[in-house]
Amino acid sequence: MPNVNLFCFLASYVVALGFDVTRLRAKSIWCRSMALLFGAAGLLAQTLYLLLRSSQNQQPPLLSSAHDWLLVLAWLAVLTHLFVSLLDSTIVTGVVVWPVVLALVSASRFVTTSPSHVLDYHRGWKMLHASMLVLGAAAILLGFVLSLLYLWQHRRLKHRQMLTSGLSLPSLEKLERFNRWSILVSVPLLTFGVATGVGLSVLANQQSAPTWTD
């Protein structure tokens, strides 16, 4: 575990993206298997990395730092993508998901990695606050990916590319339904996350505790 670093899973995700891009031209069981293999390897390395960070900081990743919070969001995106890919082997969504994941992992390098020192008060509420925000953000991220897939599928149908490509995408109706659910889930999660953050700030001011300013 001490040898696991950010580059390990970043490289795995880049390779997984490469195999998924290859599947755009023709359906290939070998390319799909390799994309899943490298994606799963990256997810495992990222999990170990987050566990190691949590052990070093003596804090859960969601409360440790902005660096860890972004990696948790990327972890959720990868987990969702691999789960969907295992359910339906004909759908190639990695070409949309992997760039988003790579952007999140890369962005985590440019934010603070220093652990937070304002967790002495209301630790449980702060964990709930961070959890609601990351789950809400994950739902928004899912909606973004689904919207891109919707536009892509609409363009393919408009130009009658369905029979000339090895790519398979969900129907427009299914994408629209999933997108609607992602919005319905994200709104209450983000609302509750923001509300608990405001409440924590108010309590901190009343008790002269360090201000919660995430």
Side-chain angles (χ1 to χ4, degrees):
M1 285 182 61
N3 295 324
V4 177
N5 54 46
L6 187 144
F7 178 77
C8 294
F9 49 91
L10 184 65
S12 295
Y13 296 154
V14 170
V15 176
L17 171 61
F19 280 111
D20 273 334
V21 170
T22 304
R23 294 178 63 198
L24 293 179
R25 294 187 175 275
K27 295 180 180 179
S28 171
I29 296 178
W30 184 80
C31 285
R32 174 181 179 270
S33 300
M34 294 304 293
L36 289 175
L37 178 63
F38 276 94
L43 183 67
L44 176 60
Q46 187 173 356
T47 302
L48 294 176
Y49 179 83
L50 288 171
L51 290 175
L52 179 61
R53 289 273 306 169
S54 178
S55 176
Q56 291 175 342
N57 297 327
Q58 296 299 311
Q59 296 174 8
L62 288 178
L63 297 180
S64 179
S65 66
H67 172 81
D68 300 88
W69 193 92
L70 283 175
L71 290 180
V72 170
L73 182 58
W75 186 89
L76 289 172
V78 174
L79 183 65
T80 303
H81 165 64
L82 293 179
F83 178 73
V84 172
S85 298
L86 288 173
L87 289 180
D88 193 337
S89 62
T90 64
I91 297 177
V92 183
T93 57
V95 289
V96 178
V97 175
W98 290 126
V100 176
V101 171
L102 292 174
L104 288 172
V105 175
S106 299
S108 69
R109 294 190 59 187
F110 302 99
V111 296
T112 178
T113 59
S114 301
S116 174
H117 297 288
V118 295
L119 299 178
D120 295 334
Y121 299 86
H122 311 291
R123 185 186 181 93
W125 279 103
K126 289 174 181 176
M127 186 64 189
L128 179 62
H129 163 69
S131 299
M132 292 298 99
L133 285 184
V134 77
L135 291 175
I140 288 292
L141 190 63
L142 176 61
F144 172 71
V145 169
L146 291 171
S147 297
L148 292 179
L149 291 175
Y150 184 95
L151 294 174
W152 192 358
Q153 179 73 320
H154 182 271
R155 183 179 183 279
R156 295 179 72 227
L157 291 172
K158 183 178 180 180
H159 292 84
R160 302 180 183 277
Q161 297 176 343
M162 298 302 294
L163 299 179
T164 60
S165 173
L167 176 65
S168 177
L169 291 174
S171 65
L172 293 179
E173 293 78 9
K174 184 179 293 186
L175 288 170
E176 183 180 4
R177 184 168 65 252
F178 290 160
N179 200 353
R180 185 185 306 115
W181 274 107
S182 70
I183 295 173
L184 292 175
V185 170
S186 65
V187 170
L189 288 174
L190 290 175
T191 301
F192 191 71
V194 171
T196 51
V198 172
L200 286 168
S201 297
V202 172
L203 288 175
N205 290 332
Q206 291 178 348
Q207 300 176 1
S208 298
T211 304
W212 183 251
T213 57
D214 67 322

